[in-house]
Amino acid sequence: NKRGFIFDLDGVIVDTAKYHFLAWKKLANDLGIDFTEHQNEQLKGVSRVQSLEKILDWGGISISELEFQNLMDKKNSDYLSHIETMKEDEILVDVPKVLTFLKNKQQPIALGSASKNARKILKKVALYESFDAIVDGTNVSKAKPDPEVFLIAAKELHIAPNQCVVFEDSIAGVQAANKADMISIGIGEQDVLGEADFVFKDFSEISIEFLTQLINKQ
Ligand code: BG6
Ligand code: MG
């Protein structure tokens, strides 16, 4: 039996969600806008453009297109400064174990990320070769919660969407997976990711038995 296993990147494969948070918080605070952890949850999985739109909206601020572009560039260079020195040790717990298990079971594996920095990060942590398909922010026109990124990933894996499993740490990403008719697995807190079919704190909570059941499920 073959399923398509699709992984989000930030906050699922690597611990970069904290760097996105730091960069957005700095930008928001510099604009005099308060930025809470709760607001941050609403930005997870969301594209760079839409994230900035939301922050400006929260602050009731409107700016020119040029200034918007400048702020996006600023956020990204701040973010990139955090990931500059990133190494394999920032891969989240038990991710390699799960990837290796799925590979040994000949299960197709894809990345489905909103980030335009996804390929760069995968190379930094030496996981670029672990995926049969990579779909990221440079390949999509519609951001999560739209299912586009996962549907393209399924297509590239040659697996029907309803035979795919998605690992996500964001509300928007779980909603995208559900809309794509895929099994959604939330990585994080149950009270945040309650819309997912299953929620685990991290991959150390996901057993080989659970993965085997997913593969064999009709
Ligand atoms: C998602 C992150 O994976 O990618 C978001 O959860 C981020 O926080 C989005 O805004 C876009 O990423 P990037 O790297 O293209 O700015
Ligand atoms: Mg994420």
Side-chain angles (χ1 to χ4, degrees):
N1 212 16
K2 270 196 206 307
R3 280 194 184 269
F5 285 86
I6 307 175
F7 293 77
D8 173 47
L9 176 70
D10 298 308
V12 169
I13 301 267
V14 282
D15 200 7
T16 42
K18 64 183 181 200
Y19 299 138
H20 281 294
F21 171 69
L22 287 175
W24 282 128
K25 185 172 167 60
K26 181 170 165 17
L27 182 137
N29 292 165
D30 284 353
L31 291 167
I33 304 169
D34 204 33
F35 188 68
T36 63
E37 296 263 359
H38 175 75
Q39 283 169 316
N40 187 53
E41 288 301 335
Q42 297 173 56
L43 297 192
K44 283 186 184 173
V46 173
S47 70
R48 203 181 304 167
V49 173
Q50 289 187 6
S51 299
L52 182 53
E53 283 171 354
K54 280 186 197 252
I55 289 173
L56 294 173
D57 197 38
W58 291 329
I61 292 178
S62 72
I63 55 175
S64 70
E65 235 169 81
L66 184 65
E67 183 64 5
F68 190 94
Q69 194 53 52
N70 286 341
L71 288 178
M72 291 239 295
D73 293 347
K74 213 169 138 200
K75 187 272 172 178
N76 196 47
S77 46
D78 190 18
Y79 176 68
L80 289 177
S81 75
H82 289 293
I83 64 166
E84 200 57 51
T85 55
M86 211 174 151
K87 299 249 160 25
E88 281 107 307
D89 61 358
E90 291 196 55
I91 298 172
L92 286 163
V93 62
D94 282 347
V95 167
K97 184 188 93 178
V98 171
L99 289 174
T100 304
F101 173 78
L102 294 174
K103 198 176 183 65
N104 289 341
K105 294 285 173 196
Q106 274 104 45
Q107 299 299 303
I109 303 170
L111 190 88
S113 168
S115 175
K116 293 187 167 158
N117 298 302
R119 286 176 166 83
K120 176 194 266 245
I121 292 173
L122 285 180
K123 284 176 190 160
K124 275 198 178 291
V125 298
L127 284 179
Y128 192 78
E129 304 298 331
S130 302
F131 295 88
D132 301 302
I134 295 175
V135 186
D136 70 9
T138 65
N139 307 116
V140 298
S141 55
K142 285 170 261 169
K144 298 171 188 176
D146 189 281
E148 184 185 26
V149 61
F150 297 141
L151 292 173
I152 296 175
K155 198 168 195 173
E156 292 198 8
L157 294 178
H158 307 290
I159 303 285
N162 68 3
Q163 296 300 307
C164 289
V165 176
V166 171
F167 296 99
E168 258 293 346
D169 70 316
S170 71
I171 300 166
V174 165
Q175 290 171 341
N178 290 345
K179 273 188 216 156
D181 198 19
M182 299 178 176
I183 295 174
S184 54
I185 302 187
I187 302 293
E189 301 298 329
Q190 173 68 39
D191 60 352
V192 176
L193 302 174
E195 290 176 60
D197 295 316
F198 304 91
V199 180
F200 298 96
K201 264 200 161 50
D202 58 40
F203 283 94
S204 74
E205 285 197 345
I206 301 185
S207 67
I208 294 302
E209 290 69 38
F210 176 76
L211 293 173
T212 306
Q213 277 170 20
L214 278 181
I215 294 170
N216 296 332
K217 203 165 164 256
Q218 289 310 310

